[in-house]
């Protein structure tokens, strides 16, 4: 029932909001290019509306992606993440690089949380960072699964902003639930880096970073 409700909400958001935002963006683009719109003030106002519509579209796409059920059923974590990144790269104007290793023997709960953390991290990038590129890395180092998500966006001041304001609280909570830690490094104009480390005991194939 929960999955069906999420799917219904996703469909309604797409039909009722996303298409209208797209239409607004097209119309304002046409107005900005019109030779009749020469006055400086209305042109700037139209350009602002166009930018706001574009930002709202990015926000809506990110929310729709979270609502749409995603699963690792029948896939390894590596396969699931690669599929997620490929889908995002196809639908967003964001260059995504990845270095994802096959980490075998992880408990299903750990895999699920790492997958969701990656979803959340990428969603944060789309919604807040204004980045043009992002990188996702996953590997096993020193008996720890290490997930790192970085972007080249606008960043933020960690001292002046609550982590929850940037959607990072969920990432930290998910990491804690599987016995890991999440750290965030960011500063204005320098992009953002999210590191998640989860200790794994007795896993073969460990190597040095």
């Amino acid at each position: 029932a929960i999955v069906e409700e999420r799917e219904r909400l996703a469909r309604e958001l797409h039909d009722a909001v996303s298409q209208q935002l797209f239409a607004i963006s097209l119309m304002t683009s046409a107005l900005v290019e019109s030779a009749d719109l020469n006055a400086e003030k209305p042109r700037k106002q139209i350009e602002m509306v166009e930018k706001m519509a574009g930002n709202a579209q990015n926000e809506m796409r990110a929310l729709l992606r979270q609502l749409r059920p995603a699963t690792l059923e029948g896939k390894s974590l590596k396969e699931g993440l690669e599929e997620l990144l490929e889908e995002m790269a196809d639908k967003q104007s964001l260059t995504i690089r990845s270095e994802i290793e096959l980490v075998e023997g992880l408990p299903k709960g750990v895999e699920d949380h790492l997958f969701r953390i990656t979803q959340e991290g990428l969603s944060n990038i789309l919604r807040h960072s204004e980045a043009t590129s992002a990188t996702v890395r996953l590997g096993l180092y020193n008996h720890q699964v290490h997930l790192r998500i970085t972007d080249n966006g606008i960043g933020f001041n960690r001292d002046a902003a609550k982590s929850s304001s940037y959607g990072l609280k969920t990432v930290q909570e998910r990491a804690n639930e599987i016995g890991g830690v999440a750290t965030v490094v960011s500063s204005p104009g320098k992009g953002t880096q999210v590191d998640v480390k989860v200790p794994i005991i007795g896993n073969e194939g460990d190597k040095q970073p």
Side-chain angles (χ1 to χ4, degrees), residues 140-152:
L140 185 64
Y141 309 111
N142 294 329
H143 301 287
Q144 294 184 102
V145 178
H146 188 180
L147 171 66
R148 174 174 290 175
I149 304 167
T150 58
D151 68 69
N152 68 344

Side-chain angles (χ1 to χ4, degrees), residues 66 84 88 94 114-129 134 136 147 149-151 166-168 170-171 174 192 194:
Q66 290 183 43
L84 172 67
M88 293 194 70
L94 180 71
L114 289 172
F115 183 79
R116 294 293 186 182
I117 287 170
T118 305
Q119 271 190 312
E120 182 71 27
L122 292 171
S123 177
N124 292 339
I125 291 172
L126 291 174
R127 295 165 66 188
H128 303 297
S129 74
V136 177
L147 171 66
I149 304 167
T150 58
D151 68 69
Y166 290 84
L168 299 171
T170 303
V171 169
R174 284 190 180 278
T192 300
V194 177

Side-chain angles (χ1 to χ4, degrees), residues 1-205:
I2 292 173
V3 169
E4 288 177 358
E5 178 66 9
R6 284 159 62 96
E7 290 177 336
R8 182 189 66 79
L9 285 170
R11 284 195 302 270
E12 290 187 2
L13 281 171
H14 181 270
D15 294 341
V17 183
S18 290
Q19 298 303 325
Q20 293 180 46
L21 287 171
F22 181 66
I24 290 170
S25 181
L26 287 179
M27 291 175 66
T28 51
S29 293
L31 281 171
V32 169
E33 294 172 2
S34 171
D36 297 330
L37 191 64
N38 293 319
E40 186 68 16
K41 185 175 180 180
R43 176 175 286 276
K44 285 186 175 180
Q45 290 173 330
I46 292 293
E47 288 175 348
M48 185 177 297
V49 171
E50 182 182 11
K51 182 177 180 181
M52 290 170 65
N55 290 341
Q57 275 188 287
N58 286 335
E59 180 88 8
M60 185 61 61
R61 286 171 185 151
L63 291 171
L64 286 169
R65 185 166 292 104
Q66 290 183 43
L67 280 172
R68 188 171 63 248
T71 178
L72 289 176
E73 195 67 38
K75 307 184 193 82
S76 68
L77 178 59
K78 175 180 169 66
E79 291 170 333
L81 288 177
E82 287 176 342
E83 186 177 296
L84 172 67
L85 297 180
E86 183 178 347
E87 178 189 357
M88 293 194 70
D90 286 342
K91 296 181 179 179
Q92 304 290 342
S93 58
L94 180 71
T95 300
I96 303 178
R97 302 178 181 87
S98 64
E99 297 174 13
I100 300 174
E101 299 176 10
L102 178 63
V103 182
E104 298 180 323
L106 290 179
K108 178 111 177 26
V110 172
E111 288 191 331
D112 287 345
H113 273 61
L114 289 172
F115 183 79
R116 294 293 186 182
I117 287 170
T118 305
Q119 271 190 312
E120 182 71 27
L122 292 171
S123 177
N124 292 339
I125 291 172
L126 291 174
R127 295 165 66 188
H128 303 297
S129 74
E130 300 180 22
T132 58
S133 69
T135 302
V136 177
R137 293 186 175 91
L138 178 78
L140 185 64
Y141 309 111
N142 294 329
H143 301 287
Q144 294 184 102
V145 178
H146 188 180
L147 171 66
R148 174 174 290 175
I149 304 167
T150 58
D151 68 69
N152 68 344
I154 59 175
F156 59 94
N157 188 332
R158 288 282 291 160
D159 295 329
K162 295 181 180 179
S163 60
S164 57
S165 301
Y166 290 84
L168 299 171
K169 186 176 181 180
T170 303
V171 169
Q172 293 168 329
E173 289 174 348
R174 284 190 180 278
N176 292 339
E177 285 180 20
I178 52 177
V181 293
T183 57
V184 179
V185 178
S186 186
S187 60
K190 301 291 186 180
T192 300
Q193 177 175 298
V194 177
D195 275 311
V196 177
K197 296 179 181 179
V198 183
I200 302 295
I201 299 175
N203 198 304
E204 298 298 327

